[in-house]
């Protein structure tokens, strides 16, 4: 069993933080599929420190959500500690995660996200201060390095461990790659053996075979599923089940996918209200039917012809009819 500080995980599959996607509803929906630990989307330390209500809403968790990590991003220790004080006093969570991987210019230009990877000494000082302040175990999410010519994932991981971090996830791309190109797993071969804290691997895990291959190459304690789980929650179940039993479960059928999509949509509607939820669902529901040839027309209907929960139900009913014809 994996232990992150005093938090024990019941499996080896963790849910990757995704801004705009890993809401409380998404995390609650995914949990029963075998998620051992979820992370919130990245939360701005300034937003919390200035008590911006929209930012504070990201701190919402639930019992079902636990164990959950709240992911903070920032660039200034004063803001980060102020935010952490507020988080400690108001939020219910198990782990504090630090974002050192975000490649978005708006974030890196301030010195936050993957920008930290460029100065390991500064990074270590920052993390030491956070770790000594935090009452919860601190984890970190990093990339291989800033760009191809400055890959420093071994050095950064060691510094993070020495600073007090209790687990690390590596997205096996550089900042310069963004989300394009292939994740390079070979780059972290031997990293696990050089650390004494749990290590998770992230990047391009879209199938069970991807997960098995990544773990065989990297010897990490577990995998982080991000994009691959969106619209395919069964992927988490397949990976979790395989790691626990060595058995391969089948892919979900279209009918099962309809059930999953409906359940998730209703959870999101309940938490966010119909209007906002339907807007977000336009981008997410098509993923539930993307692996099925002939379903393009339904995927398009979610994006083009869905203005209400009633429209959504009509599309689900249409798919059900198609399946049972
Ligand atoms: C839309 C989107 C939003 C993301 N937001 C975050 C984030 O808030 N914090 C973070 O650490 N990583 C974030 N990531 C990165 C993922 O957690 C993950 O590391 C990355 O997508 C690689 O894994 P994948 O190929 O399995 O998706 C995001 C990725 C995507 C696609």
């Amino acid at each position: 069993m994996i232990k992150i500080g005093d938090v024990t995980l019941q499996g080896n599959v963790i849910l990757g933080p995704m801004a705009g996607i890993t809401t409380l509803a998404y995390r609650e929906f995914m949990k029963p599929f075998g998620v051992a630990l979820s992370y919130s989307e990245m939360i701005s330390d300034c937003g919390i420190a200035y008590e911006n209500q929209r930012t504070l809403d990201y701190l919402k968790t639930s019992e079902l959500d636990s164990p959950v990590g709240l992911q903070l991003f920032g660039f200034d220790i004063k803001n980060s500690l102020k935010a952490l004080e507020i988080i400690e006093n108001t939020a219910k969570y198990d782990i504090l995660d630090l974002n050192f991987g975000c490649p978005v210019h708006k974030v890196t230009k301030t010195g936050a996200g993957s920008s930290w990877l460029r100065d390991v000494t500064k990074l270590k000082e920052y993390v030491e201060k956070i770790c000594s302040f935090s009452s919860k175990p601190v984890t970190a999410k990093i990339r291989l390095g800033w760009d191809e010519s400055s890959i420093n994932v071994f050095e950064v991981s060691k510094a993070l461990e020495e600073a007090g971090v209790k687990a690390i996830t590596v997205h096996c791309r550089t900042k310069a790659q963004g989300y394009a190109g292939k994740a390079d797993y070979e780059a972290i071969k031997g990293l696990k053996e050089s650390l004494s804290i749990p290590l998770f691997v992230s990047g391009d895990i879209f199938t069970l075979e991807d997960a098995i291959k990544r773990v065989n190459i990297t010897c990490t304690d577990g995998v982080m599923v991000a994009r691959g789980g969106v619209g395919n929650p069964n992927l988490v179940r397949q990976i979790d089940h395989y790691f626990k039993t060595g058995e391969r479960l089948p892919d979900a059928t279209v009918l099962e996918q309809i059930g999953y999509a409906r359940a998730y949509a209703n959870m999101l509607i309940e938490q966010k209200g119909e209007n906002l939820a339907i807007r977000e669902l336009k981008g997410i529901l098509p993923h539930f039917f993307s692996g099925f040839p002939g379903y393009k027309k339904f995927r398009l209907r979610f994006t083009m012809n869905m203005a209400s929960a009633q429209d959504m139900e009509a599309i689900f009913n249409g798919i059900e009819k198609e399946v049972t014809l």
Side-chain angles (χ1 to χ4, degrees):
M1 266 201 243
I2 302 174
K3 279 205 88 165
I4 300 179
D6 59 357
V7 179
T8 304
L9 306 192
Q10 301 299 326
N12 311 62
V13 187
I14 64 175
L15 197 63
M18 282 178 288
I21 299 174
T22 41
T23 55
L24 175 58
Y26 183 76
R27 301 194 306 264
E28 286 184 335
F29 166 68
M30 294 297 284
K31 198 84 180 187
F33 290 90
V35 170
L37 168 69
S38 313
Y39 282 111
S40 72
E41 52 194 302
M42 56 194 259
I43 307 171
S44 154
D45 64 353
C46 289
I48 296 174
Y50 295 115
E51 308 204 28
N52 173 299
Q53 191 52 49
R54 272 192 64 192
T55 314
L56 293 173
D57 286 346
Y58 293 136
L59 302 179
K60 280 187 192 144
T61 59
S62 70
E63 230 167 88
L64 173 61
D65 196 20
S66 177
V68 59
L70 295 177
Q71 191 190 65
L72 205 63
F73 76 98
F75 55 90
D76 178 77
I77 189 67
K78 274 195 239 102
N79 285 335
S80 300
L81 292 180
K82 174 132 195 261
L84 188 49
E85 194 179 348
I86 294 172
I87 294 176
E88 295 230 342
N89 288 332
T90 55
K92 284 207 165 93
Y93 66 110
D94 305 280
I95 284 173
L96 177 78
D97 189 59
L98 300 174
N99 179 316
F100 302 128
C102 181
V104 175
H105 182 64
K106 204 171 81 180
V107 171
T108 58
K109 76 172 184 204
T110 66
S114 53
S115 195
W116 281 104
L117 304 177
R118 293 201 280 187
D119 189 339
V120 184
T121 309
K122 203 170 119 195
L123 169 74
K124 194 173 172 187
E125 276 170 25
Y126 173 81
V127 176
E128 270 166 356
K129 286 183 184 142
I130 302 266
C131 288
S132 51
F133 188 93
S134 176
S135 66
K136 309 280 185 190
V138 177
T139 61
K141 182 143 176 285
I142 61 175
R143 286 183 176 239
L144 297 179
W146 181 257
D147 61 19
E148 210 186 337
S149 64
S150 58
I151 288 182
N152 58 357
V153 59
F154 278 68
E155 190 195 349
V156 167
S157 301
K158 196 78 217 154
L160 290 171
E161 181 176 26
E162 284 171 4
V165 156
K166 299 289 186 240
I168 296 173
T169 301
V170 185
H171 176 187
C172 293
R173 286 188 175 85
T174 62
K175 180 267 167 196
Q177 278 180 286
Y179 293 95
K182 278 203 182 125
D184 177 8
Y185 299 94
E186 301 288 337
I188 61 160
K189 239 180 171 175
L191 181 60
K192 172 63 201 163
E193 293 76 6
S194 74
L195 300 171
S196 51
I197 52 174
L199 180 69
F200 297 92
V201 60
S202 164
D204 296 345
I205 295 176
F206 294 106
T207 65
L208 170 61
E209 298 312 315
D210 288 339
I212 297 171
K213 212 158 111 194
R214 302 323 179 228
V215 169
N216 284 344
I217 294 174
T218 61
C219 298
T220 48
D221 298 272
V223 296
M224 175 178 274
V225 169
R227 288 173 297 184
V230 180
N232 185 14
N234 189 52
L235 174 65
V236 171
R237 179 177 284 156
Q238 289 173 314
I239 302 173
D240 177 56
H241 189 77
Y242 179 84
F243 284 156
K244 285 176 178 160
T245 65
E247 290 166 12
R248 284 175 164 78
L249 295 176
D251 290 337
T253 62
V254 181
L255 273 180
E256 284 168 330
Q257 288 292 93
I258 298 170
Y260 299 151
R262 240 196 206 120
Y264 169 60
N266 288 330
M267 287 167 87
L268 195 68
I269 291 169
E270 203 182 304
Q271 279 184 20
K272 295 210 164 180
E274 184 172 342
N275 283 346
L276 186 55
I278 290 291
R279 245 183 287 152
E280 292 184 13
L281 288 166
K282 279 173 187 280
I284 295 182
L285 290 181
H287 290 287
F288 283 84
F289 305 97
S290 64
F292 303 97
Y295 281 77
K296 192 171 172 195
K297 58 178 187 273
F298 294 112
R299 293 200 295 274
L300 283 175
R301 262 182 234 167
F302 286 121
T303 28
M304 319 281 284
N305 307 109
M306 184 172 74
S308 64
Q310 204 182 352
D311 294 343
M312 179 182 78
E313 261 313 306
I315 304 169
F316 285 143
N317 291 339
I319 301 175
E320 260 162 357
K321 241 193 212 155
E322 178 101 352
V323 180
T324 46
L325 267 184

